[in-house]
Amino acid sequence: MTETRACQNCKQNFTIEPEDFDFYERVKVPAPTFCSDCRLQRRMAWRNERSFHKGKCAVTGKDFLTMFSPEAKITVYDRDYWWSDKWDQLESGRDYDFNRPFFVQFAELMRKAPLPNLANSNCINSEYGNHSLDCKNCYLFYASIGAEDSAYVTGAMKTKNSFDIYKQATGTDCYENVLCAEVNRVLFSFGARECIQSDFLHSCTNVQQSLGCINVKNRSHCIWNVPYSKEEYQKQRGQYDFGSYAQLEQFKKKFSEFILKYPRRYGGGVKSVDVTGYAILNSNNSYNCFDIYGELEDCKYIYHAATMNDSYDGYGMGATAELMYEAVDTGAQAMHCMFNVFTHACQEAFYTYACHSSSNLFGCVGLRTKQHCILNKQYSKEEYEKLVPRIIAQMNEMPYVDTKLRIYKYGEFFPIELSPFAYNETIAQEYAPLTRMQVKDSGYRWRELET
């Protein structure tokens, strides 16, 4: 049955539906005590995409760009060294102390266990970007997968030779696009899909060699929504010289006024059934989801994701994953991972940060190709399976209580006050902006940004 609870953070009521309880039962977690908005804010406060600092590798002394400020007191390795086998990942391991809250011990481990300077995986010749996967020859790129020869992009998936892109799925030779998909040589466009050789499109599908159009489908050689012959189109198109900054700005203004005359489609969903949210592609039975690049099924409260099913509460998730809950930048061939940050290709991993290609982890930081570990200490399968239920029980009996008396038992994501980042360094400040005073009053950290 439906249940209404009061969020222990914002104190507002929120509803838990029967299907939500079914999901929580399936992944074996209690129902949340924070509302969905506060859960989202809490997760995002653990993701620093674009606030960089100068740093040095704790081993090699190499200078690098890092997402961790000196005040965070994190042990940071250069990416190449961190991904190598030159250091002992288990050296930071410690016994679990049943006399202290789990989150206190995890925070201590985070300061000890080495972390890579940036949260990138398999990114080549791409030093200036973060939270991305399989990118090559990119500059100032964020939250992207499979981008190549591109710059100034956020949320670019399978995008090549493109600049100034925000949330684009599959595109080549593009510039200044927002929420476009399967486009080739498309410029200055929003919501264009399966379009080629066109400029200034808005919510157009299968459009070729067109200019300044909105809501046009399956057409070519159009200007201001008017179709022309190929020859006449070339003649009309030649009147616009976008090599001139003045003419380009004049056209932008005219186009912005032109599209105000036309209706907009609700939701921005494409080839999707039974979904709510915005910018959802090729998905099914998913609710309160946003910026979905495709193949989402039976999911809820998901932002910026693709190829995932039976999962709740995440940002930057998927790339083939299922049974995921409360995670950030987690997935890439993953199964049943919960309460994770920057965790890829793992199975049965809980409360992890920067763990990869591992299984059966609990409360671990910076491990690769490991299994049956707790607080970075190795156990046998039998020892691990015996110890984890005891830890879960202890987390409920001795919960972590933050400075504002919010209670964190098993099933809650990491407290914001334990994040290695100041609140205004993270994307939480973009989705749930707070003033300096509000951050302080909430018990979080604020960092005066360098100028």
Side-chain angles (χ1 to χ4, degrees), residues 6-18:
C7 173
Q8 67 162 316
N9 184 53
C10 69
K11 311 305 181 185
Q12 300 297 311
N13 288 340
F14 68 100
T15 301
I16 304 176
E17 304 290 347

Side-chain angles (χ1 to χ4, degrees), residues 10 67 69 72 163 176 278 377 387 398 405 423 434 449:
C10 69
M67 60 182 171
S69 70
F163 278 43
E176 283 211 20
Y278 191 81
K377 181 177 179 179
L387 191 53
M398 186 185 294
L405 304 182
Y423 187 90
L434 299 176
L449 301 182

Side-chain angles (χ1 to χ4, degrees), residues 268-275 279-285 292 294 296:
V270 177
K271 295 182 181 179
S272 298
V273 179
D274 292 331
V275 299
I280 304 173
L281 180 66
N282 297 336
S283 297
N284 180 50
N285 193 38
I292 305 304
L296 207 66

Side-chain angles (χ1 to χ4, degrees), residues 132-136 138 141-151 153-163 165-174 177 180-185 281-282 293-295 304-307 318-320 333:
S132 294
L133 172 69
D134 297 336
C135 294
K136 182 179 180 181
C138 290
F141 65 109
Y142 313 97
S144 297
I145 299 178
E148 186 173 343
D149 299 324
S150 299
V153 298
T154 294
M157 298 189 65
K158 298 180 180 178
T159 290
K160 295 183 178 181
N161 194 33
S162 299
F163 278 43
I165 301 297
Y166 182 77
K167 306 269 174 90
Q168 177 171 286
T170 310
T172 302
D173 298 336
C174 295
N177 289 340
C180 293
E182 301 177 66
V183 288
N184 186 292
R185 215 237 63 123
L281 180 66
N282 297 336
Y293 294 86
E295 300 179 33
H304 188 56
T307 319
T320 309
Q333 308 296 326

